[in-house]
């Protein structure tokens, strides 16, 4: 099974990585960890100009996030590779899912507001509604030491 794990280094993204480690079988799951560099904002007077690429510091941070998450998965017995991409995060994640024929996309829900507990962030919402594969959205509440319980819903159909 091919899994795309999107990470921005946030607590929900780390919870998503821990969930993959806890419920996945390292012998059967191949993970690509992607950290997406969003395009820099275009200053209002410069709307017609081409924006610069992300800073070296931002790229280095994205590389560290992807590499650290992949290393953790590797230590847990998974084949895991880091990847840094550039673009609108939701659209870029969906593009990677399509291009890499991933079976599952896993990402953290990035909302922190009271309304956010009822809704998902814009990136996770975009991926959930646009992904051609299954999508798992993880909130930042996954206990690391407790027994993990998973509820799987089904209607009995084959597909």
């Amino acid at each position: 099974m091919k899994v795309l794990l999107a990470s921005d280094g946030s607590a929900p993204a780390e919870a998503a990585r821990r969930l993959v480690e806890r419920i996945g079988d390292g012998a059967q799951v191949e993970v690509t960890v992607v950290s997406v560099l969003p395009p820099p904002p275009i200053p209002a007077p410069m709307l017609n100009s081409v924006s610069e690429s992300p800073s070296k510091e931002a790229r280095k941070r994205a590389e560290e996030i992807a590499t650290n998450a992949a290393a953790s998965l590797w230590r847990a017995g998974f084949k895991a590779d880091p990847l840094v991409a550039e673009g609108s995060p939701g659209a870029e994640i969906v593009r990677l899912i399509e291009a890499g024929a991933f079976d599952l996309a896993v990402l953290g829900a990035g909302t922190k507001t009271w309304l956010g507990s009822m809704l998902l962030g814009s990136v996770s919402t975009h991926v959930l509604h646009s992904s051609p594969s299954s999508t798992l959205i993880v909130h930042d509440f996954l206990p690391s030491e407790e027994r993990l319980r998973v509820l799987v819903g089904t209607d009995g159909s084959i597909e």
Side-chain angles (χ1 to χ4, degrees), residues 16 19 105-110 120-121 123-125 127-128 135-139:
L19 183 63
V106 182
L107 57 157
L120 302 173
V123 173
S124 53
T125 298
V127 174
L128 181 64
T135 304
L136 175 60
I137 309 296
V138 180
H139 292 273

Side-chain angles (χ1 to χ4, degrees), residues 42 46-53:
I42 300 172
M46 309 277 298
L47 286 177
N48 292 328
S49 69
V50 176
S51 62
E52 297 178 21
S53 62

Side-chain angles (χ1 to χ4, degrees), residues 11-12 15-16 107-109 111 116-120 137-142:
L107 57 157
T111 58
S117 64
M118 305 307 254
L119 304 173
L120 302 173
I137 309 296
V138 180
H139 292 273
D140 181 25
F141 64 87
L142 186 65

Side-chain angles (χ1 to χ4, degrees), residues 7-9 33-38 54-69 82-86:
S7 182
D8 59 3
V33 180
V34 63
S35 185
V36 181
L37 283 166
S55 70
K56 289 180 183 180
E57 295 81 21
R59 176 165 292 286
K60 182 178 180 190
R61 176 72 180 131
E63 289 170 355
E64 288 173 358
I65 289 168
T67 300
N68 290 341
L83 174 67
V84 174
E86 286 185 40

Side-chain angles (χ1 to χ4, degrees), residues 139-154:
H139 292 273
D140 181 25
F141 64 87
L142 186 65
S144 59
E145 299 300 322
E146 295 180 22
R147 184 175 152 211
L148 183 64
R149 295 174 12 151
V150 178
L151 174 65
V152 177
T154 180

Side-chain angles (χ1 to χ4, degrees), residues 13-25:
E14 284 301 300
R17 179 194 50 77
R18 288 193 316 269
L19 183 63
V20 169
E21 289 177 1
R22 291 181 66 191
I23 66 172
D25 178 354

Side-chain angles (χ1 to χ4, degrees), residues 63-119:
E63 289 170 355
E64 288 173 358
I65 289 168
T67 300
N68 290 341
S72 179
L73 287 157
W74 182 79
R75 286 189 299 272
F78 292 84
K79 180 182 182 304
D81 296 309
L83 174 67
V84 174
E86 286 185 40
S88 172
E92 188 61 19
I93 292 167
V94 171
R95 186 192 70 74
L96 290 168
I97 293 166
E98 292 170 344
F102 288 94
D103 302 301
L104 176 66
V106 182
L107 57 157
T111 58
K112 298 279 187 210
T113 65
W114 67 270
L115 185 57
S117 64
M118 305 307 254
L119 304 173

